[in-house]
Amino acid sequence: MNTPKVSKGFDESNRSFVTLAFTDLCGSTELANSLDPDVFAAVLGTLHDAVRQIVAQHGGIVSQVYGDGSLSVYQGPGSSERALAATLAVHAAARALVLPRETPRARLVMHSGVHAGLVVTGTRGAEFGTIGVIGRATGVAARLSASARPDEILVSQRTLGPTDMSLRIGPVRLVVVSGASDQIAAVPVLGPRPSDEAVHPFTRGRRTPLVGRADALEAIAHDLFAYAGATPLCIAVTGPPGQGKSRLSEEIELRAAEVPAVVLRGAAVWQEAASTLQPFREIEAAAARLLGEASQTSGDDDDLTVLGEAVLDRLQRLARQRRILLILDDWHWADSASLQLLGRVRSLDAGIAILLLSREAAPGELPLAADKVIDLPPIAEPPSVALVRRLRPELDTLDCLRVSRLAGGNPLYLEELCLISARTLNDLLAGESNSDEIGRIAAIIEARVRALPPDLTEVLQTAAVMGGDCAAWILSRLCGIAPGSPALVRLGELELLIPSLTPGNLRFKHGITRNVVYQLTHVDQRRALHSKVAELIEHQEPDPGIDRDELLAWHYYESRQFERAIVHAERAGDRAVAAASIDRAQLHYGRALRVVDQLSDEASHADHVRLIGKYGYACVYDSDRSQLIVFDRAARAAAARGDREGEAVARFWYGFVCHGSGQASRAVAELDRAVDLLPPAGQSAFAVQLRATQGQALAAAGRYERAAPLLDAAIDVKRAHRSGRNVSVGTAYSLALKAALLADTGHFSQARALIDEAVGLIAGVSHPVEGSVMGWSAAVRYWQGDWAGLLETARRGCDVALRIETVYIHAISRAFASYAQWRLTDAEDAAEELADAVACMADRGKELALSIAYGCLADMEAARGNVAATRAAVRQAYARARAGEPFGMPVAARAWARLCAAEDPGRARRMLLHARGNARRRGALHELARCDVAEAALGLVPAAVAATRLAQAAAAFERMGMTEDLRHARTLMGTAEALPSLRVGR
């Protein structure tokens, strides 16, 4: 096999973020069967030669040639863009190949897959000198290629990134990678956009607005466009990758049209894809077009001296005719010839304005040749959070803040993070990372790290292993550097490591940079560093500013010293619970359980049972389906040992987490199984807690007949044994669920009394249960139609959620608050906020009471006349009812009945029958009364029946204290003659 040599600059035997392109020939088996083997081999040889040439031209390397296909690899900045451009060129080259006369088809057609991710690269053999790649990303690219249609390039959505206006793309579709649960979103790239569809790249389809740059924009625009000198003015804007330099220059270019000024753009190109004088080639060609002349870059004669003189001549002549602005992007990659030519441009006798964009003020240790250098700082947190909200409106406020901090004020990082799927983004915010999802942004960061000298790379890798906050004394011991050393100063100048809020410590400027550097560090090197850090911390006097157990748990775990890790992880989890830091408690107890799973001795069984209880407690206030596997594994292990109580404990927490994540039917079933495992009428503390939770889960499923006695018994026991010294969070939650039960069955005054009792139990205590109590308190207000009270309660729930940093509580409170705001003011922004809150809950798998939110959404969208959105919300409310959570279905059914009553009254009646059946099963008197009003208001019953229904509904509303509904019913009663008259017999 004739394989290419390794391209210059391509790193071998390393962990690296790359972009991979799998390219295959369509119908190759049919073609091979119809041709002589020698002819077929010649066709493939010609095709492979074209592929190698095109890939090399785009700075890549063909890693593998296999029959009719090939795998090419692209590394470094712009790897995704270069891979796409090369693959498009390969497809075009295949179509253009001249085939032998006996070939049974007119042209060759390819299908390809492109994906970016983390791989291990290494030489495949000294005799070939080619690069081999190993990693999940390779398999993903292969699956994309296999799923692509003829002449289609299927690109993972994350690899494509923001919409490229030069490409025609098709709709997003899911591609199965290795099973139904392992899918990836992909976009077909159909080819370049035709020239007659060309649009200004800065005015159509731009995803990211310019934020936090108003002052810099005004200052730079004033300097450039107010300049009236006789010689060129050069302003340089510097900042790390993604800081918004190019985006700022786009706004400057738009301003130029108003001046007016002619803009000539050129950009230096990274390493392999670069040509000498690349930025000035682009400028010379643009200037030639403006002058109506032939470009010096259009012919075969590539005389650089002639090219340079042409640039100077054309700029000089254009400057006499009009105002000129040169924009030179990515100047840190400029070759020496370009640097020299810029110096000659600055010596021209012409008032040309020049805008240089560079990552550094002194690339290659040479200061930028500029009259003024402006360092672009990160955007501040408020506009950064606002940008995240704009790009991902469904994200909760807490998540927006976390994304902003993870990006460190870098606009590009913000945009890339906002393109990541909800699940992966959640993992990143929790401190984990998925190399499949951060390939584009990781390639940018990797290029910066690869450019560092070895001593700085060592410091950066050590800091990444140390974690978010790096103690300077540990860095000093491990790397031999002192605070203020040249290495640390340089890393600070590069905005990689900066001082942290803890005096004497350092941190990564961007959290995502730390994630990438950590992944790029070899696993053996990481483990060795983790072990050294743990040893240093273990023998250091406790520092009041750090949590030793938290650090030691992590470092011992990652260095595979499991026995030591478990002790510190449990201690760290205990402290996190005491501080109401539920997410950190989940992390530490989860790590401790993973440690126990690595051990097989008998002592570990006791550890496992104890830790399952602690982990379960940490999960119930921010439940997630992904947590269930831990409890299921524990239950199966206990059953295998014949440990009925251990299995009951695991099943209890399994059911509790199902309840917390909104899986009502499953929660009831698991808790019933746990009860069956215990002795009948057991009175242990665990048995009492189990029956109380069973009552809570039944109430959340609307199964009140079974729930009521269990909740009453649990509340009575707690009231009888209340000491006054300890806060009973379980009692508070049971009271809240009993209040919800009473409210749903029409006993609102009693419900409010129980809510007040629950709030009194937790007054002055910062605990996640406060958010849960506020959530059910909001449900009470919602069912009663007290919109002002609902708004106040929901806003309090938001405040609690922000204080304890619980996304679910904040999302459901947002949903209630926005619905109340909409009911009170009909505000459009409130309606949009409700839709975003519902999307946040659905995307994060936080489904407890989600049926209520879907009911609210259906009601709102129906009132706005949005049929498609109403239908979607109604379907989701019905799906939640089938899953065992019935609360939102009657509201949704009534909303759909309102939309279809005029054209299909029969269907409207059926929807109201569904609503009535649901309400009767729950005993929800408020829902039944509202169904009476809906039937009358929509004219679905004769006038006499309508009057009777309105009268009985009004009486019910008055008994239940539902003031707003009572007013509405009486209004309809006063205008009964004007109600719609539809065909009641249909």
Side-chain angles (χ1 to χ4, degrees), residues 384-699:
S384 174
V385 171
L387 177 58
V388 177
R389 286 299 304 272
R390 177 163 179 168
L391 298 181
R392 291 290 290 272
E394 82 282 3
L395 285 184
D396 186 79
T397 301
L398 284 169
D399 281 343
C400 289
L401 183 61
R402 291 167 181 165
V403 170
S404 170
R405 290 175 178 172
L406 187 62
N410 185 296
L412 175 63
Y413 293 178
L414 278 173
E415 182 173 8
E416 292 289 340
L417 289 170
C418 286
L419 287 169
I420 289 174
S421 66
R423 177 64 63 185
T424 300
L425 186 57
N426 188 32
D427 290 342
L428 275 172
L429 297 178
E432 303 173 14
S433 56
N434 183 329
S435 60
D436 277 342
E437 290 275 358
I438 62 172
R440 279 173 56 91
I441 191 171
I444 299 169
I445 295 169
E446 180 184 353
R448 299 191 71 199
V449 175
R450 297 286 187 207
L452 296 175
D455 59 329
L456 297 190
T457 302
E458 180 190 2
V459 173
L460 210 59
Q461 290 175 330
T462 304
V465 168
M466 290 174 63
D469 214 43
C470 312
W473 67 270
I474 296 180
L475 271 178
S476 177
R477 294 281 292 275
L478 293 178
C479 301
I481 56 171
S485 66
L488 293 180
V489 170
R490 182 60 179 148
L491 289 171
E493 291 172 346
L494 294 173
E495 295 195 326
L496 291 170
L497 281 182
I498 63 173
S500 78
L501 297 177
T502 304
N505 284 8
L506 298 168
R507 67 176 177 85
F508 279 84
K509 174 65 178 291
H510 308 105
I512 191 70
T513 301
R514 183 257 158 196
N515 288 2
V516 171
V517 174
Y518 188 81
Q519 287 194 61
L520 290 173
T521 305
H522 193 280
V523 63
D524 291 339
Q525 184 182 356
R526 289 204 306 255
R527 286 175 181 167
L529 283 170
H530 278 296
S531 182
K532 291 177 182 177
V533 173
E535 185 178 352
L536 287 172
I537 295 174
E538 191 79 80
H539 295 93
Q540 176 76 2
E541 287 295 320
D543 186 340
I546 65 171
D547 188 326
R548 270 178 99 249
D549 286 313
E550 185 170 286
L551 291 175
L552 288 172
W554 180 48
H555 289 300
Y556 279 136
Y557 178 79
E558 293 297 340
S559 60
R560 304 186 69 80
Q561 300 181 64
F562 294 137
E563 292 81 359
R564 294 182 175 184
I566 188 172
V567 176
H568 295 289
E570 185 172 6
R571 288 177 185 169
D574 292 345
R575 263 199 299 280
V577 167
S581 181
I582 298 304
D583 57 341
R584 300 300 295 174
Q586 289 177 15
L587 185 149
H588 295 308
Y589 291 140
R591 181 175 290 143
L593 282 168
R594 288 196 296 274
V595 168
V596 172
D597 287 341
Q598 303 292 328
L599 308 174
S600 58
D601 55 272
E602 286 299 319
S604 68
H605 297 323
D607 292 335
H608 203 273
V609 172
R610 183 182 69 257
L611 287 167
I612 277 291
K614 292 185 175 184
Y615 180 67
Y617 180 81
C619 289
V620 294
Y621 297 104
D622 195 16
S623 300
D624 189 286
R625 295 187 183 207
S626 64
Q627 300 158 350
L628 295 176
I629 189 172
V630 176
F631 304 110
D632 185 59
R633 187 165 56 237
R636 293 175 185 274
R641 296 193 306 270
D643 179 3
R644 291 177 63 86
E645 183 174 359
E647 184 183 358
V649 169
R651 292 292 171 200
F652 162 72
W653 288 114
Y654 191 113
F656 210 153
V657 170
C658 283
H659 163 63
S661 59
Q663 301 174 76
S665 296
R666 198 172 177 186
V668 171
E670 287 297 327
L671 291 167
D672 285 347
R673 290 179 66 181
V675 169
D676 292 343
L677 287 166
L678 294 181
Q683 293 301 314
S684 67
F686 171 64
V688 172
Q689 183 184 17
L690 173 55
R691 287 193 292 271
T693 304
Q694 191 180 23
Q696 294 162 6
L698 287 163

Side-chain angles (χ1 to χ4, degrees), residues 347-388:
S347 300
L348 289 174
D349 184 16
I352 298 173
I354 304 170
L355 180 62
L356 281 184
L357 308 173
S358 174
R359 291 183 182 176
E360 302 178 53
E365 305 304 324
L366 294 174
L368 290 172
D371 300 295
K372 183 177 183 179
V373 177
I374 298 173
D375 185 51
L376 206 59
I379 57 176
E381 192 164 272
S384 174
V385 171
L387 177 58
V388 177

Side-chain angles (χ1 to χ4, degrees), residues 15 116 398 557 712 730 749 857 895 932:
R15 297 166 67 89
L398 284 169
Y557 178 79
D712 288 339
S749 59
L857 189 59
D932 286 339

Side-chain angles (χ1 to χ4, degrees), residues 225-385:
F225 299 133
Y227 179 66
T231 56
L233 169 73
C234 183
I235 295 177
V237 177
T238 64
Q243 201 79 311
K245 302 182 295 296
S246 297
R247 181 69 182 88
L248 184 68
S249 75
E250 294 167 6
E251 291 295 324
I252 295 291
E253 184 167 350
L254 291 174
R255 296 280 185 97
E258 303 169 3
V259 172
V262 172
V263 177
L264 302 176
R265 267 187 177 267
V269 181
W270 175 77
Q271 290 183 5
E272 293 296 301
S275 297
T276 305
L277 290 177
Q278 178 68 38
F280 286 107
R281 290 172 183 270
E282 297 167 4
I283 284 174
E284 189 275 338
R289 286 194 299 271
L290 288 172
L291 292 167
E293 301 170 356
S295 170
Q296 290 293 328
T297 64
S298 60
D300 294 332
D301 183 12
D302 201 14
D303 190 323
L304 298 181
T305 302
V306 174
L307 175 61
E309 294 302 326
V311 169
L312 297 173
D313 173 63
R314 285 178 172 142
L315 289 179
Q316 186 84 53
R317 286 189 286 134
L318 272 177
R320 296 193 191 106
Q321 301 174 13
R322 60 191 80 182
R323 187 186 293 268
I324 294 178
L325 170 63
L326 297 188
I327 299 180
L328 298 171
D329 204 351
D330 288 333
W331 196 246
H332 45 275
W333 283 325
D335 59 283
S336 58
S338 294
L339 295 175
Q340 294 173 38
L341 185 52
L342 175 61
R344 296 184 65 191
V345 170
R346 295 191 67 206
S347 300
L348 289 174
D349 184 16
I352 298 173
I354 304 170
L355 180 62
L356 281 184
L357 308 173
S358 174
R359 291 183 182 176
E360 302 178 53
E365 305 304 324
L366 294 174
L368 290 172
D371 300 295
K372 183 177 183 179
V373 177
I374 298 173
D375 185 51
L376 206 59
I379 57 176
E381 192 164 272
S384 174
V385 171

Side-chain angles (χ1 to χ4, degrees), residues 54-100:
I54 291 169
V55 170
Q57 288 171 349
H58 290 81
I61 181 173
V62 175
S63 167
Q64 184 177 356
V65 175
Y66 52 100
D68 60 341
S70 63
L71 169 65
S72 54
V73 188
Y74 303 81
Q75 186 183 41
S79 61
S80 298
E81 290 80 358
R82 288 184 285 114
L84 268 175
T87 308
L88 283 167
V90 165
H91 278 231
R95 292 192 300 269
L97 281 180
V98 178
L99 300 178

